[in-house]
Amino acid sequence: DEPSSGIAQRETEALGQLLENLKRDLNATLVIIEHDIPLIMGLADRIVAMDAGSVIAAGPPDVVRHDPRVVEAYLGGSIEAIERSGTRATPNGSATAESAPPNEALSSIPGLSPRREAALLAAFGTVDGVRHASDSQLQAIPGIGPAVIRRLREVLG
């Protein structure tokens, strides 16, 4: 149940590889409940997406990833949020401003990856918007659970 919740991006990447190795080496079926969309899309052969206790889509990752109900429920209508996973390079090799951490306060929060930071800012507009969001609004962001919310509250006040 949400194995990547509250861990750093590098740890999530290592976790993904570990789970993939377990699946392959044990020839096992894994059932994973996860809000980290890129992690689960990379691991799963089949995905069941739910919203408010109801199945909204099921099938191969590429089909579920582009289902409008999934995009709206998990990403607030932004398919770009699925693809965002940190800094992207421009053709000349420099980082894009869009993916650079916009505020040191958010960047300093343990377990808040650049992807989750970007999702928070996309949902709430500014760090101040994140600060004033309710716990339930914050938990609607994939990968933001109680532990991350507690750290957000400690850092942002």
Side-chain angles (χ1 to χ4, degrees), residues 28-46:
T29 297
L30 300 177
V31 177
I32 303 170
I33 299 167
E34 183 58 68
H35 285 95
D36 187 312
I37 303 294
L39 172 65
I40 205 66
M41 291 290 172
L43 285 173
D45 299 316
R46 182 173 189 273

Side-chain angles (χ1 to χ4, degrees), residues 1-124:
D1 186 11
E2 298 198 38
S4 74
S5 181
I7 63 175
Q9 179 64 33
R10 259 179 225 232
E11 293 166 330
T12 298
E13 292 165 4
L15 173 67
Q17 188 60 54
L18 173 68
L19 292 172
E20 187 63 43
N21 290 346
L22 284 171
K23 190 170 113 175
R24 182 193 64 242
D25 294 349
L26 299 175
N27 193 28
T29 297
L30 300 177
V31 177
I32 303 170
I33 299 167
E34 183 58 68
H35 285 95
D36 187 312
I37 303 294
L39 172 65
I40 205 66
M41 291 290 172
L43 285 173
D45 299 316
R46 182 173 189 273
I47 292 177
V48 176
M50 299 181 73
D51 184 31
S54 297
V55 173
I56 58 173
D62 285 338
V63 172
V64 172
R65 170 188 311 223
H66 293 96
D67 186 296
R69 294 167 299 180
V70 172
V71 173
E72 182 62 34
Y74 283 76
L75 303 165
S78 171
I79 193 76
E80 290 79 23
I82 291 175
E83 308 303 332
R84 190 175 295 151
S85 63
T87 341
R88 289 179 288 149
T90 61
N92 68 10
S94 65
T96 64
E98 173 186 308
S99 59
N103 183 290
E104 282 189 35
L106 287 179
S107 299
S108 69
I109 297 170
L112 189 64
S113 69
R115 179 181 49 232
R116 289 180 179 140
E117 181 181 339
L120 284 168
L121 291 171
F124 302 108

